[in-house]
């Protein structure tokens, strides 16, 4: 896998247009997802973990009962947003979309 590319503010804003609900704040892209039950959020996280290990990019995750917040930044490049953050964000969206279809 290639090294992650640090993105400019303009690139981040352009990419965020394709990820509704995601925000850029303090050098991170973030979004909170709501689930029907606590275990549903955990199940999505468990499906995300192998993907993150495979691409060597791990989100900060905060669990508040039925809400899960993902914060994405790349610490190895000084806490900047990279193209790999958007790869993970898109995968999270895909997993959540599959969860939504099974409700």
């Amino acid at each position: 896998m290639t090294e992650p590319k640090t993105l400019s503010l303009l690139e981040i804003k352009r990419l965020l247009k394709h990820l509704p609900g995601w925000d850029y704040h303090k050098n991170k892209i973030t979004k909170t997802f709501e689930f029907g039950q606590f275990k549903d959020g955990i199940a999505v996280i468990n499906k995300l973990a192998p993907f993150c290990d495979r691409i060597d990019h791990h989100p900060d995750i905060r669990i508040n009962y039925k809400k899960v917040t993902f914060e994405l930044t790349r610490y190895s490049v000084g806490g900047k947003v990279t193209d790999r953050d958007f790869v993970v964000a898109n995968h999270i969206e895909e997993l959540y979309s599959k969860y939504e279809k099974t409700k």
Side-chain angles (χ1 to χ4, degrees), residues 24-42:
Y24 174 72
H25 184 67
K26 293 186 179 181
N27 291 318
K28 296 178 182 182
I29 59 171
T30 66
K31 184 173 179 178
T32 299
F33 294 83
E34 190 157 352
F35 295 88
Q37 297 181 38
F38 173 78
K39 67 179 182 167
D40 298 334
I42 299 301

Side-chain angles (χ1 to χ4, degrees), residues 7-38:
L7 301 175
S8 69
L9 182 57
L10 184 62
E11 290 171 308
I12 293 166
K13 287 182 177 184
R14 182 179 48 81
L15 290 168
L16 283 175
K17 289 179 184 177
H18 304 286
L19 287 170
W22 285 83
D23 292 312
Y24 174 72
H25 184 67
K26 293 186 179 181
N27 291 318
K28 296 178 182 182
I29 59 171
T30 66
K31 184 173 179 178
T32 299
F33 294 83
E34 190 157 352
F35 295 88
Q37 297 181 38
F38 173 78

Side-chain angles (χ1 to χ4, degrees), residues 26-82:
K26 293 186 179 181
N27 291 318
K28 296 178 182 182
I29 59 171
T30 66
K31 184 173 179 178
T32 299
F33 294 83
E34 190 157 352
F35 295 88
Q37 297 181 38
F38 173 78
K39 67 179 182 167
D40 298 334
I42 299 301
V44 167
I45 292 168
N46 285 334
K47 290 177 183 173
L48 177 65
F51 175 80
C52 290
D53 277 342
R54 196 168 45 255
I55 69 164
D56 187 34
H57 193 66
H58 306 91
D60 289 333
I61 302 170
R62 189 172 55 254
I63 303 166
N64 298 93
Y65 184 41
K66 296 190 282 184
K67 293 182 180 180
V68 177
T69 302
F70 296 94
E71 296 180 338
L72 304 171
T73 191
R74 186 71 184 187
Y75 294 108
S76 66
V77 294
K80 305 276 187 205
V81 174
T82 70

